[in-house]
Amino acid sequence: VVERSNGRAQTFSEKVLKAILNKNGGHMTVGLHSAGVQRTFRVHRLVIETFIGPPPSGTECCHNDGDPTNNRLDNLRWDTHAANMGDMFKHGTYVKPPHLIGEKNPSSKLTEDQVREIKGEIAVGKRSLASIATDYGVSRPQISLIKAGRSWGHVDV
């Protein structure tokens, strides 16, 4: 129970936030809810923005030790993209693109065969993009990206 300046007491419930290891790059993420809407945030960004402040123009959050799961404040800094890339080379964590395309991306929900099926269904045009998305367990915007060739463009029908 916390007493507010107006003299009324208010009870706040405490919640432990569960961070999830994001497979794409190994960064920790956490889902926060507000008004029934969930947004996902990277933990390192929450930590540095809370204790240091917003990023200066042209900077991004860097991990001093190269470990994207080490989100201690003393391991984080704002720096340029070039400096962050330099850290990746220094720590041996840089992987030359295209390392996460299609099925090689550990976050991928689709296989190349499924994408071929999706592209075939889109070409026929008998079903809505929303129903295709539901059947394949992906979002409607993802199906739109596939249709536009902005996602899975390397897969031919």
Side-chain angles (χ1 to χ4, degrees):
V1 176
V2 174
E3 188 168 323
R4 296 170 55 184
S5 59
N6 62 9
R8 289 186 286 157
Q10 185 170 353
T11 303
F12 294 95
S13 64
E14 291 184 20
K15 269 194 166 181
V16 175
L17 299 177
K18 182 179 179 183
I20 300 166
L21 181 60
N22 181 333
K23 293 179 185 176
N24 188 0
H27 292 95
M28 302 295 289
T29 60
V30 65
L32 300 178
H33 298 263
S34 177
V37 177
Q38 178 179 327
R39 288 187 55 206
T40 301
F41 297 90
R42 288 186 170 192
V43 173
H44 64 275
R45 290 291 301 225
L46 292 175
V47 170
I48 197 167
E49 287 186 25
T50 299
F51 295 101
I52 302 296
S57 180
T59 65
E60 56 191 46
C61 184
C62 304
H63 290 82
N64 295 325
D65 67 358
D67 178 2
T69 64
N70 181 357
N71 297 308
R72 294 175 46 96
L73 183 58
D74 62 3
N75 187 49
L76 303 175
R77 73 180 192 284
W78 293 122
D79 211 332
T80 64
H81 179 69
N84 204 11
M85 294 301 292
D87 286 350
M88 293 172 74
F89 282 105
K90 181 173 76 177
H91 298 299
T93 56
Y94 177 78
V95 180
K96 185 178 179 182
H99 60 287
L100 296 175
I101 291 178
E103 292 178 5
K104 293 178 183 173
N105 186 327
S107 298
S108 173
K109 294 182 179 180
L110 299 171
T111 65
E112 290 187 4
D113 288 339
Q114 289 174 317
V115 172
R116 283 187 194 90
E117 292 171 11
I118 290 168
K119 288 184 173 188
E121 290 191 44
I122 291 170
V124 172
K126 291 186 179 180
R127 296 180 55 204
S128 72
L129 299 183
S131 74
I132 294 171
T134 299
D135 286 352
Y136 287 91
V138 297
S139 68
R140 168 127 173 13
Q142 179 61 41
I143 300 298
S144 293
L145 290 171
I146 291 170
K147 179 181 180 182
R150 293 179 51 209
S151 180
W152 294 90
H154 65 287
V155 176
D156 295 325
V157 180

